[in-house]
Amino acid sequence: MLSPSWQKSSYCGEGESCIHVSRDPADRTVRLTESADPAGAILSATRQGFTALLGAVKENHV
């Protein structure tokens, strides 16, 4: 298995704790991790689940 290629959120400033996203075309999942511990907790979701998560975050963003 190849290591994920993480992409930092465009909303992240320099030196902040940020969300990183990676996708796995082999099993069609999206993975999220936090920059302070990228090898720690990794959340996996289907593309549809990730889209729903983004929609909920955008809808409830203050």
Side-chain angles (χ1 to χ4, degrees), residues 6-36:
W6 297 104
Q7 179 180 357
K8 185 168 74 169
S9 167
S10 60
Y11 288 95
C12 183
E14 190 65 37
E16 294 181 18
S17 185
C18 302
I19 298 294
H20 292 244
V21 180
S22 176
R23 72 177 182 93
D24 187 337
D27 64 5
R28 301 177 61 100
T29 58
V30 177
R31 293 185 174 85
L32 300 165
T33 192
E34 198 258 325
S35 62

Side-chain angles (χ1 to χ4, degrees), residues 26-62:
D27 64 5
R28 301 177 61 100
T29 58
V30 177
R31 293 185 174 85
L32 300 165
T33 192
E34 198 258 325
S35 62
D37 188 14
I42 297 175
L43 173 70
S44 294
T46 63
R47 290 181 189 180
Q48 295 83 3
F50 182 66
T51 300
L53 172 66
L54 288 179
V57 169
K58 288 178 182 179
E59 184 177 303
N60 295 303
H61 182 63
V62 178

